[in-house]
Amino acid sequence: MNLNFFDYDLTKRNGSADLLKGLAVIFMIQVHIMQLFAEESLFNSLTGAFSLFLGGPPAAPVFMTVMGYFLAVSKKDLESSLMRGLYLFLGGILLNIGLNFSLLIKIYNNEFFLDPFQYIFGVDILILAGLSIIILSLLRKIISLHFLIPLLLSFLIAWLTAFSLEFTEPHSHFLRYLIPMIGGNWSWSFFPLLPWLAYPMLGWSFYLMQQEFGYRFKADKQITILVIIAWALYMYITFDFALIVSSNLPVYYHHEIEFFVWTLLFLSGYLFIVSKINSISLVAKPLVYLKWIGKNVTPVYVFQWLIIGNISTFIYKTQSLLFSFLWFFAILLVVTLLVIIWNKIPKNYRPL
């Protein structure tokens, strides 16, 4: 296969970042299928737990951390950044309507007696991304930051999450769907700012750390190997804890500082390993495809949710392991073709 088939320029892109985003969205696709398509016995099995783990620490935290890093890199002015954040926020609400469209029709026709606003204003990752960009853009404008400030803020945000879980349901209908975007323990609040704003803060801190120290603290090969071994041993010892949290979705979506610290340590090794894989196998065809997916992460994410969300209305939690695998590959193929077609449209005529 021609490496340029997916229109990915190896010389102009940050391959490690695109690979991280590509892996993250692939993990998200498989976990969405596990959550919505897989039968209960599969969802509650060890296979289901491992699927949820892959859709956990290597997915949303990675995506949000990388986003925070590149937001710090960005030279866009405040107005452009705020508009980008607002665009993603509103796009997240439109995506909620789109992915739940078949379900909303059934609710409207009284086939299901559910609260439609919980699906329209569900706090998914695009809403989180939009709010995070707005907050970080304002902070960057009003504060001259040392890398320790966003780092400490990330820990503070994770610590405050425990207090947000005590939020009670407001009487105001408006606040009932606004407050879950900030924190709390509501079932439709998947990625509230508490704790998820902590991850773009980490990415921002890492960029500022690079700016301050550069690469002066590069360790020699032997020390690097010892650190990787220590990291791998720690991951092995603590994996049960991470698996329990990430496979309990309400706990994962509203995780507290203990899991945040674990994820921070996980990311420190995971990002390093993925970066090394990218540098060693720069033009490997599967990696080029994953990096192309990462480059097009927003349309990939939108298309996969539109497909999975609407299909799930009709086959919700009915699929075996085999059919879940088949659905994964079929949806990934369709999404790939849709993104190829999407990229053929002139940029002025496509919103994503």
Side-chain angles (χ1 to χ4, degrees), residues 81-95:
S81 296
L82 292 178
M83 288 303 297
R84 174 63 176 168
L86 181 61
Y87 170 80
L88 283 174
F89 175 82
L90 296 176
I93 294 174
L94 289 175
L95 177 59

Side-chain angles (χ1 to χ4, degrees), residues 96 100 115-125 127 169-170 172-181 183-192 253-254:
N96 284 342
N100 291 301
D115 179 1
F117 294 107
Q118 293 183 13
Y119 297 92
I120 294 172
F121 295 107
V123 189
D124 200 10
I125 201 164
I127 290 176
E169 187 168 326
S172 165
H173 197 68
F174 172 74
L175 292 177
R176 186 169 188 258
Y177 299 103
L178 176 64
I179 291 178
M181 296 180 185
N185 201 24
W186 287 273
S187 61
W188 63 92
S189 179
F190 309 112
F191 295 102
Y253 289 138
H254 310 282

Side-chain angles (χ1 to χ4, degrees), residues 237-254:
I237 293 171
T238 60
F239 183 73
D240 284 350
F241 163 73
L243 190 66
I244 290 169
V245 173
S246 57
S247 60
N248 185 333
L249 291 177
V251 175
Y252 169 68
Y253 289 138
H254 310 282

Side-chain angles (χ1 to χ4, degrees), residues 19-67:
L19 182 55
L20 285 164
K21 291 186 292 181
L23 287 167
V25 78
I26 291 292
F27 292 147
M28 287 179 185
I29 292 172
Q30 66 83 28
V31 82
H32 293 158
I33 291 172
M34 179 59 67
Q35 289 176 252
L36 298 176
F37 287 11
E39 55 195 7
E40 284 289 354
S41 59
L42 174 58
F43 180 81
N44 293 319
S45 68
L46 183 59
T47 300
F50 187 69
S51 169
L52 293 171
F53 174 82
L54 288 177
V62 169
F63 176 76
M64 295 305 297
T65 301
V66 172
M67 189 196 79

Side-chain angles (χ1 to χ4, degrees), residues 124-137:
D124 200 10
I125 201 164
L126 285 187
I127 290 176
L128 167 68
L131 292 174
S132 298
I133 288 174
I134 290 170
I135 292 170
L136 267 64
S137 297

Side-chain angles (χ1 to χ4, degrees), residues 17 20-21 24 57 59-72 125 128 132 136 154 196-207 260 263-264 267-268 271:
L20 285 164
K21 291 186 292 181
V62 169
F63 176 76
M64 295 305 297
T65 301
V66 172
M67 189 196 79
Y69 178 90
F70 282 100
L71 181 62
I125 201 164
L128 167 68
S132 298
L136 267 64
S154 69
W196 291 96
L197 181 60
Y199 295 102
M201 285 287 184
L202 281 180
W204 193 7
S205 175
F206 180 65
Y207 169 76
F260 169 74
T263 305
L264 170 60
L267 291 177
S268 66
L271 270 59

Side-chain angles (χ1 to χ4, degrees), residues 94-248:
L94 289 175
L95 177 59
N96 284 342
I97 295 171
L99 75 90
N100 291 301
F101 188 74
S102 57
L103 177 62
L104 292 172
I105 292 295
K106 287 184 175 292
I107 294 173
Y108 179 79
N109 291 330
N110 293 320
E111 295 180 51
F112 293 138
F113 297 98
L114 300 169
D115 179 1
F117 294 107
Q118 293 183 13
Y119 297 92
I120 294 172
F121 295 107
V123 189
D124 200 10
I125 201 164
L126 285 187
I127 290 176
L128 167 68
L131 292 174
S132 298
I133 288 174
I134 290 170
I135 292 170
L136 267 64
S137 297
L138 290 171
L139 280 176
R140 186 172 64 175
K141 181 67 176 179
I142 63 177
I143 303 174
S144 178
L145 290 180
H146 185 274
F147 78 89
L148 283 175
I149 295 177
L151 181 62
L152 293 174
L153 282 174
S154 69
F155 280 88
L156 177 62
I157 289 164
W159 178 71
L160 288 173
T161 299
F163 298 94
S164 80
L165 298 181
E166 304 300 321
F167 287 171
T168 56
E169 187 168 326
H171 297 295
S172 165
H173 197 68
F174 172 74
L175 292 177
R176 186 169 188 258
Y177 299 103
L178 176 64
I179 291 178
M181 296 180 185
I182 300 170
N185 201 24
W186 287 273
S187 61
W188 63 92
S189 179
F190 309 112
F191 295 102
L193 288 169
L194 300 172
W196 291 96
L197 181 60
Y199 295 102
M201 285 287 184
L202 281 180
W204 193 7
S205 175
F206 180 65
Y207 169 76
L208 294 174
M209 195 182 304
Q210 275 192 334
Q211 293 299 105
E212 181 163 344
F213 297 114
Y215 297 94
R216 284 180 286 166
F217 294 104
K218 271 190 172 181
D220 62 33
K221 187 175 180 180
Q222 289 78 12
I223 294 176
T224 300
I225 291 172
L226 287 174
V227 170
I228 292 174
I229 291 172
W231 174 84
L233 182 61
Y234 175 77
M235 291 294 111
Y236 175 77
I237 293 171
T238 60
F239 183 73
D240 284 350
F241 163 73
L243 190 66
I244 290 169
V245 173
S246 57
S247 60
N248 185 333

